[in-house]
């Protein structure tokens, strides 16, 4: 009982002490409030920082009217007041009231920061500009309205391009002498030192729906254009220009410029690559703005330099930017690259890109005639709800929308056209009607496509007129195809070739029918292709994108005496969809006849030829794919999205003389990974399997390269027919550093070289189902003429090779040192070699 009484008394005493302690603490808490103003103008200073001297992480910020309030306990003697653009002040609060009026003096010496930046070592630590930018970086996601899962907006997109001549070269220009009418429509003010002659203008008004950052629906409201590129494919030109002139947005991690990526000054890691200087506080706007100068730490890096403006409203958001690409950066063919970017605040407080203008001067020769272009994008009607409108791209709607004149477009245009833009319509109409200009365009089209236009027929390709190899000797070829002048829906093509050594005529003829109302080269394609031909082929090279009789591939290393004649008939149906999913189905029958040292022999008997009949199928998916669509070809513009391909070939024994039944499946995936300042990586994965008992000509004969031209998709130190399998997987990886390391080495950086490395690995198996040592009716694997050793098998170790190279030599040449890492005892093997290729890139 006594113990319970003692416990009760103890609890009562504890509660009383706790109450008195809380009361004492409450009595000791104080509140200090006040306003911070500009000493010279007496205007309030928004979002100034108030901190208690001597205590870490104790403080507050003023509101938009400069008012603040802060609570504290204990003995606090002084507070520190700081604001961007003003001198910091430490104010004693002992003996003063609880309401303060604090006046800060403007920091008039801030302009001197940019002068001293070259004399003193730049540091991120204790740097007010870096602290401000870090707050902007931390607030990127909450300020970016485009991160909403769904949104829609209207877009006005215009692109104008002009020929740019040096001012002192105008009078000597052969172009202006031929087309004197252009002299009356020139601009000398937009680009200092250059005279601009407008030759291209296009404007589009469209609406777009976005989901998870990707466009999912769009419709073109109106479009008009004036252009001189009709000798080339217009849609392909548009895709290329869209790749060059992107949509610069600082809230993206990078600004895209072709295959180059310019790190945004407010990207998460930007403070490691950029310098920042506060140079002014703009008080003539509400809210106030801080003007920050940004520049690269390394002058040769492809980074931005210029001004960004940050609102002082507590949101730490970029309001606009005026930037250009560092002129000393390692970028080819372009200069005077500028970005003007403007943001607008949505009703929810977040920001969206409302206008961006990108201009650049594009040309091979700095002192020659270049092309100056300006692209402007204006975004309006931003909303988080999707709009209801017919889907389709500008390219699709161009075929159905009427062309609008300048006056009818005025109601849709958010800003007036400049005099230079208006002039382009007259210039282009005059040029297109000029015979001399059309001849020049025909020559340019011939050089670009490799075909000579003869009206309804074009002859080529020019690079295959002559070639040579050890078995055919000198090979002469003439070929051609019909043009749109003959028919847009039916194309006939063919060639004939003759070798001086084997003295046999080779040929191929085919036709393609468009199953839509458009040309067979207009995406999306639906077509039927029928071909028949007889020609030579290097086994394993049928998947290469370059023809074997390209004259550049005629010079080859090592022994090249294993080929066969292929007599083949094929019919194929192609169907492409708007989402870049496509499929092919077809049939083919082929007869292979060995030539050179190749033979079709088994321990039981010799065979003169091999015949197969197949049903083929292919599914390809390339989401968000873009490409340059020429008049007769298509070149992929690599934008970082994957390309997936699944193929199947099924052979039937006894059908039309076929000797074997089998099922072959192959899969490939490729993707480019952009790594900002570190360049980009290209990765390719490929694998395949064959079911059934087949001889070596029907196995997977792995792509070798015996030329001296570097090929990414082939094994550059593997010999023809050296390895084959019925199950395999291979990985190719190549990384372009874009001069990330070399640009930092004194003297060497002036060469503007670029580092490139690659690694390739192939794992293959030849199991018992197609092993000629087990099945004597199968053909023996090819043997080397000298050693007699059988080739074809991969052992337990995968085949591997690696390379290191220098690109951008004279801006067009890449040279690689390639090293083969294993299987060095195989016949006629080169353990290392030098390979080169022409490469045109920014």
């Amino acid at each position: 009982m006594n113990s319970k009484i003692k416990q009760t008394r103890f609890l009562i005493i504890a509660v009383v002490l706790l109450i008195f302690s809380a009361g004492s603490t409450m009595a000791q808490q104080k509140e200090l409030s006040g306003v911070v103003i500009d000493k010279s103008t007496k205007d309030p200073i928004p979002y100034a920082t108030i901190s208690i001297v001597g205590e870490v992480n104790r403080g507050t910020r003023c509101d938009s009217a400069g008012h603040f309030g802060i609570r504290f306990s204990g003995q606090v003697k002084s507070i520190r007041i700081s604001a961007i653009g003003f001198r910091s002040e430490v104010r004693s609060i002992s003996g003063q009231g609880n309401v303060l009026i604090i006046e800060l003096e403007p920091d008039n010496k801030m302009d001197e920061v940019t002068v001293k930046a070259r004399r003193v070592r730049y540091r991120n630590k204790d740097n007010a500009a870096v602290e401000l930018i870090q707050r902007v970086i931390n607030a990127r996601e909450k300020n970016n309205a485009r991160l909403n899962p769904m949104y829609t907006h209207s877009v006005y997109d215009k692109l104008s391009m002009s020929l740019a001549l040096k001012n002192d070269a105008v009078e000597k220009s052969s172009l202006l002498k031929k087309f004197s009418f252009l002299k009356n429509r020139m601009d000398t003010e937009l680009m200092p030192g250059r005279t601009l002659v407008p030759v291209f203008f296009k404007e589009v008004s469209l609406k777009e729906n976005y989901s998870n950052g990707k466009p999912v629906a769009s419709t073109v409201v109106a479009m008009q254009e004036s252009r001189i590129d009709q000798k080339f494919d217009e849609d392909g030109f548009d895709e290329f220009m869209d790749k060059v002139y992107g949509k610069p947005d600082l809230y993206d991690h990078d600004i895209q410029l072709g295959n180059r990526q310019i790190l945004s000054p407010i990207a998460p890691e930007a403070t490691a690559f950029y310098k920042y200087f506060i140079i002014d506080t703009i008080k003539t706007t509400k809210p106030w703005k801080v003007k920050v100068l940004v520049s690269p730490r390394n002058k040769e890096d492809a980074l931005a330099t210029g001004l960004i403006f940050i609102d002082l409203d507590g949101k730490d958001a970029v309001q606009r930017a005026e930037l250009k690409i560092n002129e000393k950066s390692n970028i080819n063919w372009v200069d005077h690259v500028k970005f003007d970017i403007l943001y607008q605040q949505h009703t929810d407080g977040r920001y969206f890109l409302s206008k961006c203008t990108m201009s650049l001067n594009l040309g091979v020769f700095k002192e020659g005639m270049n092309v100056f272009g300006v692209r402007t994008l204006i975004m309006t009607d931003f909303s988080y709800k999707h709009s209801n409108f017919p889907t389709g791209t500008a390219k699709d709607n161009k075929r159905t929308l009427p062309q609008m004149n300048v006056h009818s477009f005025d109601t849709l245009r958010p800003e007036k056209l400049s005099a230079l833009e208006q002039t382009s319509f007259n210039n282009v109409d005059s040029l297109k009607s000029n015979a001399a200009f059309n001849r020049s365009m025909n020559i340019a089209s011939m050089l670009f496509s490799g075909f000579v236009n003869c009206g309804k027929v074009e002859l080529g390709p020019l690079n295959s007129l002559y070639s040579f190899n050890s078995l055919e000797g000198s090979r002469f070829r003439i070929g051609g195809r019909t043009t749109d002048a003959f028919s847009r829906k039916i194309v006939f093509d063919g060639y004939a070739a003759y070798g001086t050594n084997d003295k046999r005529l080779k040929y191929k003829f085919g036709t393609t029918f468009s199953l839509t109302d458009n040309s067979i080269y207009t995406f999306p394609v639906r077509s039927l292709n029928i071909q028949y031909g007889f020609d030579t082929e290097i086994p394993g090279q049928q998947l290469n994108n370059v023809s074997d009789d390209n004259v550049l591939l005629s010079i080859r290393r090592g022994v090249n005496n294993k080929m066969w004649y292929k007599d083949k008939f094929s019919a194929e149906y192609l169907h492409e969809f708007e989402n870049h999913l496509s499929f092919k189905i077809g049939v083919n029958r082929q007869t292979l006849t060995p030539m050179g040292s190749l033979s079709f022999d088994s321990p039981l008997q010799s065979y003169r030829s091999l015949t197969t009949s197949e049903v083929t199928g292919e599914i390809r998916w390339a989401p968000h794919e873009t490409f340059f669509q020429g008049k007769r070809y298509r070149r992929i513009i690599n934008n970082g999205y994957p390309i997936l391909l699944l193929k199947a070939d099924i052979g039937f024994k006894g059908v039309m003389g076929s000797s074997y039944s089998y099922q072959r499946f192959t899969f490939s995936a490729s993707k480019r990974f952009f790594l900002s300042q570190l360049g980009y990586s290209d990765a390719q994965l490929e694998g395949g399997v064959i079911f059934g008992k087949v001889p070596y000509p029907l196995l997977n004969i792995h792509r070798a390269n015996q030329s001296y031209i570097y090929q990414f998709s082939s094994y550059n130190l593997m010999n023809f027919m050296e390895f084959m399998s019925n199950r395999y997987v291979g990985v190719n990886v190549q990384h372009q550093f874009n001069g990330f390391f070399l640009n930092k080495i004194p003297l060497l950086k002036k060469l503007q070289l670029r580092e490139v490395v690659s690694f390739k690995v192939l794992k293959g198996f030849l199991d018992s189902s197609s092993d000629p040592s087990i099945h004597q009716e199968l053909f023996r694997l090819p043997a080397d003429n000298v050693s007699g050793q059988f080739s074809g098998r991969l052992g337990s170790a995968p085949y591997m090779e690696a390379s290191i190279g220098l690109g951008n030599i004279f801006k067009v040449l890449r040279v690689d040192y390639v090293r083969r890492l294993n299987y060095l005892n195989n016949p006629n093997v080169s353990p290392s070699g030098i390979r080169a290729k022409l490469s045109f890139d920014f």
Side-chain angles (χ1 to χ4, degrees), residues 15 133 265 270 321 333 360 538 569 602 669 707 711 782 789 806 838:
V15 171
I133 291 298
W333 322 123
L360 62 85
I538 300 174
F569 167 83
S602 74
S707 76
Q711 296 178 11
Q789 178 181 343
L806 292 176
L838 294 177

Side-chain angles (χ1 to χ4, degrees), residues 420-434:
L420 187 70
E421 292 167 342
Q422 292 175 342
T423 300
S424 65
F425 290 96
N426 296 327
N427 280 6
V428 171
D429 291 340
S430 300
L431 283 171
K432 287 194 293 187
S433 61
N434 188 282

Side-chain angles (χ1 to χ4, degrees), residues 100-113:
L100 299 177
I101 298 177
I102 301 172
E103 296 181 342
L104 295 183
E105 292 186 9
D107 190 354
N108 296 323
K109 296 182 179 181
M110 296 187 71
D111 290 339
E112 299 177 7
V113 174

Side-chain angles (χ1 to χ4, degrees), residues 608-665:
R608 182 176 179 274
S609 62
L610 167 68
T611 300
T612 63
S613 297
E614 296 178 336
V615 174
T616 64
E618 175 183 305
I619 298 176
R620 181 180 184 272
W621 187 43
H624 307 289
E625 180 182 43
T626 58
F627 44 78
F628 187 98
Q629 178 66 66
K631 291 295 184 183
R632 296 291 182 267
Y633 57 88
R634 181 181 292 181
R635 294 176 182 169
I636 304 300
I637 300 174
N638 206 323
N639 56 11
Y641 290 97
I643 298 177
L644 308 177
L645 183 67
L646 177 64
K647 297 182 65 176
D649 304 309
I650 301 176
F652 297 92
K653 184 177 181 179
V655 177
M656 301 179 66
S658 176
S659 303
Y660 296 93
S661 292
Y662 53 88
Q663 301 83 42
R664 179 190 298 110
F665 300 94

Side-chain angles (χ1 to χ4, degrees), residues 47 414 417 458 700:
Y47 307 106
L417 296 182
E458 56 185 6
N700 296 305

Side-chain angles (χ1 to χ4, degrees), residues 143-425:
N143 283 332
N144 189 357
R146 293 196 301 114
L147 291 183
N148 196 72
M150 296 174 59
Y151 67 89
T152 185
H153 61 192
S154 300
V155 182
Y156 171 72
D157 182 357
K158 68 176 178 180
L159 173 63
S160 64
M161 304 185 74
S162 305
L163 301 179
L165 297 87
K166 292 191 68 176
N167 289 342
D168 56 5
V170 171
E171 295 301 324
K172 302 177 183 178
S173 171
S174 59
L175 175 74
L176 296 181
K177 288 179 181 179
K178 283 185 179 180
F179 315 113
S180 57
F181 58 86
L182 294 175
K183 292 183 178 181
N184 301 323
R185 307 179 182 119
M186 300 188 302
D187 181 276
T188 57
E189 297 181 359
L190 186 60
M191 186 180 180
R194 294 270 180 171
T195 297
L196 303 181
V197 182
V199 293
F200 177 95
F201 181 76
K202 176 183 177 181
E203 57 183 341
V204 183
S205 176
L206 65 156
K207 295 181 180 292
E208 293 181 326
N209 284 341
Y210 278 73
S211 180
N212 295 320
K214 305 294 185 227
V216 293
S218 65
T219 187
V220 176
V221 178
M223 180 178 61
Q224 70 172 355
E225 55 187 353
S226 181
R227 57 202 301 162
I228 61 173
D229 65 318
Q230 280 82 0
K231 298 295 181 181
F232 305 94
D233 183 84
E234 296 179 18
D235 293 340
F237 179 84
D238 293 341
E239 295 284 4
F240 177 74
M241 286 297 102
D242 193 58
K243 180 75 171 178
V244 175
Y245 296 89
K247 183 188 291 185
D249 187 348
L250 298 190
Y251 283 91
D252 289 334
H253 187 276
D254 301 281
I255 298 172
Q256 197 78 26
L257 178 63
N259 282 329
R260 302 300 299 270
Q261 289 193 314
I262 314 301
L263 182 70
S264 168
I266 62 170
E269 65 271 28
T271 56
F273 295 93
Y274 282 101
K275 296 178 182 180
Y276 303 89
F277 306 96
I278 296 174
I279 62 172
D280 195 9
T281 301
I282 302 174
K283 304 175 184 177
T284 57
T285 61
K286 290 186 179 180
W288 291 358
K289 293 178 176 59
V290 177
K291 184 190 295 186
V292 179
L293 173 68
V294 300
S295 64
R297 288 175 176 263
N298 182 50
K299 295 180 180 180
E300 281 71 28
D301 282 346
L303 293 169
T305 181
L307 301 172
I308 59 177
F309 300 81
I310 302 169
D311 282 341
L312 281 177
D313 58 357
K315 293 185 176 296
D316 298 320
V318 174
Q319 191 270 334
R320 66 186 176 97
E322 301 170 1
L323 302 170
K324 63 180 181 179
I325 301 301
N326 177 26
E327 293 183 355
K328 293 186 178 181
S329 60
N330 187 349
I331 296 181
N332 295 330
W333 322 123
V334 297
D335 57 14
H336 295 87
V337 184
K338 295 182 179 180
F339 310 100
D340 291 306
I341 305 170
L342 182 66
Y343 296 93
Q344 185 174 329
Q345 194 171 17
H346 191 49
T347 53
D348 70 343
R350 292 192 285 178
Y351 291 77
F352 65 91
L353 182 66
S354 61
K355 181 179 180 180
C356 60
T357 300
M358 178 179 177
S359 61
L360 62 85
N361 188 40
L362 175 65
V364 176
F365 305 105
K366 288 187 176 181
E367 301 302 321
M369 183 173 64
N370 297 335
V371 177
F372 179 77
V374 181
R375 185 188 189 187
T376 300
L377 292 164
I378 300 176
M379 279 65 67
T380 56
D381 304 325
F382 188 93
S383 172
Y384 291 133
K385 294 182 179 179
H386 275 176
S387 300
N388 294 320
F389 50 77
T391 61
T393 64
K395 180 170 56 179
D396 304 324
N397 286 275
K398 181 167 63 176
R399 296 188 288 271
T400 58
L401 280 173
Q403 293 291 300
M404 304 184 68
N405 59 46
V406 177
H407 299 292
S408 61
F409 218 101
D410 285 342
T411 57
L412 297 172
R413 193 181 293 122
E415 62 181 21
K416 292 183 179 180
L417 296 182
S418 66
L420 187 70
E421 292 167 342
Q422 292 175 342
T423 300
S424 65
F425 290 96

